[in-house]
Amino acid sequence: MNQLVVLPLLVSLLTAVLCLLSSRSRVAQRRIAMAGGAVLLAVSLGLLLAVWTEGILVVAIGSWPAPFGIVLVADLLSAIMVAITGITGATVLVYSLLTIDRRRQTFGYYPVYFVLLGGICGAFLTGDLFNLFVWFEVMLIASYVLLALGGERAQLEGSIKYVTLNLIASFLFLTAVGVLYGTVGTLNMADLAIQLNTIAPPALVTSLAMLFLVAFGIKAAIFPLFFWLPASYHTPPVAVSAIFAGMLTKVGVYALIRVFTLLFTADTAVTHTLILVIAALTMITGVLGAVAQYELRRVLSFHIISQIGYMIMGLGLFTPLGLAGSIFYIIHHIIVKTNLFLIGGIAARVVGAEDLRRMGSLVTWFPLLAGLFLIPALSLGGVPPFSGFFAKLALVQAGLAAGQYVVVGISLATGLLTLYSMIKIWNEAFWKPAPPGADGEPPREPTKRIIALRPLLGPVVTLAALTVLIGVLAGPVFALAEEAADQLLARERYIEAVLGR
């Protein structure tokens, strides 16, 4: 059963290689990609089921035992993240098959897409910090290519900002890894969890924690390191924006949760209080940015930032309920945010614009799309009975129980402003009449365009159904999140599974 841990990586990278070898046949690439996406979905869900029923799974690559060899570790948090990667990867792949143009497919869209998924799965499953750095780089190189593929001016401008900031993050990450290795002589995370407790003075460990906080904070787009995200996520094709929006920043959040629950827990009064302050500032600045924007994907990009604040709020609280709330929030947000980008892409294609002031009448022209938009929009705003309500409720309860009333107040205010900006999108894009054309005449309903876009509703309906399902099954999903949080707080279970002691 332990071999299941390796399969998400093998499937992703093997699919990438097969797509590359079939580069002369676009049809063959598409079929291989579809098969690879389906198998990745199946093995990622199988891994989650195995970890849930059997506990933490560990594989030592080359049979070299930890901490000397490379290990892959799947605890519940890792397995949940890999399962969501499988779901969103397969869903966005279907959208890609219908929307990515021939030129991008010819220049390697599908191989790079699966390298990206492999990098994400590797980051979630690795058991040591150096390989986390390696998988980060695999993921980021693939994302650079996807961001720039097509060579349009806006893409190149966005990719320069994206590449520059992420290279700085990688440099800081590698520096922190080097200092850490020079200090304790190991990079295996389970071994580090033991060794770091022996270091004196503890201020050195706290300084290292700050270095990791900045490095992962840039990748997660926390305050004040987020400005690269809204400058780049609106430039590539919608399918690329959607997988970026759903998954990439969550890898940074995952890394923050992993190191600040397993490694840097000696001085939580400093580290986790700082994370809580950053969470509050991230929430409020992100949502204010969203309120001020009128370009659809920029609004959604700023919302990613504000929602990252909720995810690290639970980490800052550092209680079982707070961490469970963060994990539930991540599950909900990946599904919802990916879907909002896909819906936004369809809406922009119908009206031929992404500026909300140039949109309108979609509730009349395409009522099914309008109905599907409301599901993730209301969920993101925290309206019951959707998944976002239960995610926010858990974090608010955790904050009140910890006596952190200021951050709870900011999270509630952010929820209201998020709902306001969702209503703004609804009013501008769906409800108000479309603005007149250059000739002063009201625009005609683009019937042919809407018929042509209907196949794109398949992935949207799937993610909307998952959003509803997470809300309906909030109890069992939250129980899974609680069990994952308990594993994170019981560090000895992770250490024993990896080191056998």
Side-chain angles (χ1 to χ4, degrees), residues 37 40-41 44 81-91 117 121:
L40 177 61
L41 175 61
S44 63
M81 299 304 290
V82 170
I84 300 178
T85 305
I87 293 169
T88 52
T91 311
L117 295 183
C121 291

Side-chain angles (χ1 to χ4, degrees), residues 230 234 286-303 344 347-348 351-360 362 373 420-430 432 435:
H234 67 290
V287 80
L288 288 176
V291 168
Q293 296 294 321
Y294 272 89
E295 190 175 336
L296 184 52
R297 277 197 281 177
R298 281 184 184 270
V299 175
L300 297 177
S301 296
F302 273 103
H303 275 149
V351 299
E354 286 205 46
D355 191 319
L356 292 171
R357 291 163 293 196
R358 294 171 57 198
M359 303 175 83
L362 281 169
F373 169 78
Y420 165 77
S421 58
M422 284 292 116
I423 292 171
K424 183 175 82 173
I425 293 175
W426 169 261
N427 283 337
E428 294 288 336
F430 291 90
K432 75 171 172 48

Side-chain angles (χ1 to χ4, degrees), residues 129-394:
L129 282 177
F130 183 75
N131 280 291
L132 179 60
F133 171 79
V134 171
W135 288 117
F136 261 63
E137 293 311 296
V138 170
M139 180 184 76
L140 290 173
I141 289 169
S143 62
Y144 301 155
V145 177
L146 286 175
L147 196 61
L149 199 61
E152 296 171 10
R153 182 185 176 88
Q155 282 182 268
L156 295 177
E157 289 179 358
S159 62
I160 288 170
K161 295 168 186 169
Y162 180 85
V163 168
T164 305
L165 264 295
N166 278 285
L167 282 178
I168 293 171
S170 297
F171 172 75
L172 292 173
F173 185 12
L174 192 59
T175 303
V177 166
V179 173
L180 197 57
Y181 186 75
T183 306
V184 293
T186 181
L187 290 175
N188 178 281
M189 286 194 270
D191 200 28
L192 277 170
I194 298 171
Q195 302 292 339
L196 286 175
N197 286 334
T198 65
I199 293 179
L204 176 61
V205 179
T206 304
S207 302
L208 279 168
M210 294 300 102
L211 203 51
F212 278 102
L213 178 62
V214 174
F216 293 149
I218 292 174
K219 295 178 187 295
I222 63 173
F223 177 89
L225 309 166
F226 58 74
F227 49 89
W228 58 270
L229 192 152
S232 57
Y233 272 23
H234 67 290
T235 58
V238 170
V240 177
S241 288
I243 194 71
F244 281 17
M247 294 309 309
L248 290 197
T249 49
K250 310 312 177 300
V251 182
V253 174
Y254 166 83
L256 285 172
I257 292 176
R258 178 63 69 196
V259 300
F260 282 96
T261 55
L262 183 63
L263 306 184
F264 303 115
T265 57
D267 194 6
T268 55
V270 173
T271 54
H272 291 64
T273 302
L274 179 61
I275 290 172
L276 200 58
V277 172
I278 291 172
L281 293 170
T282 305
M283 277 188 262
I284 202 70
T285 51
V287 80
L288 288 176
V291 168
Q293 296 294 321
Y294 272 89
E295 190 175 336
L296 184 52
R297 277 197 281 177
R298 281 184 184 270
V299 175
L300 297 177
S301 296
F302 273 103
H303 275 149
I304 297 172
I305 297 161
S306 66
Q307 307 299 302
I308 293 295
Y310 284 102
M311 293 171 214
I312 63 168
M313 174 182 166
L315 176 61
L317 293 171
F318 203 51
T319 62
L321 182 57
L323 282 171
S326 287
I327 295 167
F328 190 96
Y329 208 100
I330 292 170
I331 297 170
H332 136 79
H333 184 262
I334 290 175
I335 302 293
V336 164
K337 182 55 70 177
T338 304
N339 205 13
L340 281 170
F341 269 81
L342 298 184
I343 293 171
I346 298 172
R349 282 191 171 212
V350 171
V351 299
E354 286 205 46
D355 191 319
L356 292 171
R357 291 163 293 196
R358 294 171 57 198
M359 303 175 83
S361 293
L362 281 169
V363 73
T364 307
W365 293 345
F366 208 164
L368 180 56
L369 183 69
L372 288 168
F373 169 78
L374 284 177
I375 294 173
L378 294 177
S379 184
L380 194 75
V383 175
F386 295 107
S387 55
F389 169 74
F390 297 105
K392 288 184 172 67
L393 179 64

